[in-house]
Amino acid sequence: ADKVSHNPFKRLKRFFTMLYSSMRSGGRAVFQVYPESPKQMELITEQATRCGFTGGVVVDFPNSTKAKKIFLCLFAGTPVANYKLPQGLGTEDENTVQYSNDRFTGKKRRRNGDVSRKEWIQNKKQKMRAKGKEVTADSKYTARKRKPKF
């Protein structure tokens, strides 16, 4: 609140009633909030539930001070039969370390799907020709690797 005359209870109630009236039944809304204290977060969630919303609070990286993000997830009206709040990031067990062996498999992964090197070069040449650029002619040596020279 900016002034002493501002009442946070009334402001939040007005905000959530207008939001609820503008949403269709089963609609969802997510807000990232920056509460100064847990008491303030309780006030926000309490006013939202009083206005007819269901849902809750999701915290990403709860153990971090810099990366912590607090989201208020709201569902309007009667929720879908099997709705769940999304799980926050960084909430897995702190004792385990995620390790992926993808980089060290020995196989080169293609970044652009299944396009080979030669196909990519030929597509690139086609694009350059369409733009009117001067491109070297295709030959049987196009896209072949050159031998290393010492």
Side-chain angles (χ1 to χ4, degrees):
D2 299 331
K3 299 180 182 178
V4 178
S5 63
H6 291 170
N7 188 349
F9 295 99
K10 287 183 180 178
R11 292 178 80 181
L12 284 170
K13 184 177 180 183
R14 174 96 174 138
F15 172 73
F16 285 121
T17 52
M18 293 301 292
L19 179 66
Y20 189 81
S21 65
S22 67
M23 291 177 69
R24 97 169 78 149
S25 182
R28 295 176 229 166
V30 179
F31 298 99
Q32 185 174 358
V33 293
Y34 303 93
E36 294 176 356
S37 64
K39 185 178 177 183
Q40 204 174 43
M41 195 65 224
E42 286 178 26
L43 171 69
I44 294 169
T45 54
E46 181 183 335
Q47 289 298 324
T49 52
R50 282 185 182 177
C51 292
F53 285 105
T54 56
V57 178
V58 176
V59 181
D60 283 354
F61 306 107
N63 299 328
S64 173
T65 54
K66 287 187 176 183
K68 182 189 283 189
K69 291 184 175 75
I70 301 173
F71 297 97
L72 179 65
C73 300
L74 301 175
F75 301 99
T78 55
V80 183
N82 55 356
Y83 81 99
K84 287 193 306 187
L85 280 176
Q87 188 177 5
L89 298 175
T91 56
E92 61 269 349
D93 189 18
E94 295 295 325
N95 295 333
T96 61
V97 177
Q98 291 183 343
Y99 176 73
S100 176
N101 201 14
D102 290 343
R103 284 181 72 190
F104 307 107
T105 56
K107 296 179 184 177
K108 287 189 177 180
R109 293 184 299 163
R110 292 188 181 159
R111 291 188 179 141
N112 297 340
D114 290 333
V115 180
S116 70
R117 177 185 163 104
K118 186 171 185 175
E119 289 171 354
W120 185 87
I121 291 173
Q122 288 175 337
N123 288 339
K124 183 74 174 175
K125 283 185 170 184
Q126 279 300 107
K127 288 179 188 175
M128 297 302 272
R129 285 186 193 112
K131 288 182 180 180
K133 304 270 182 174
E134 200 171 307
V135 180
T136 57
D138 288 334
S139 70
K140 67 178 187 177
Y141 302 108
T142 300
R144 287 198 187 171
K145 293 198 174 196
R146 298 176 185 217
K147 291 184 181 179
K149 295 180 182 177
F150 292 103

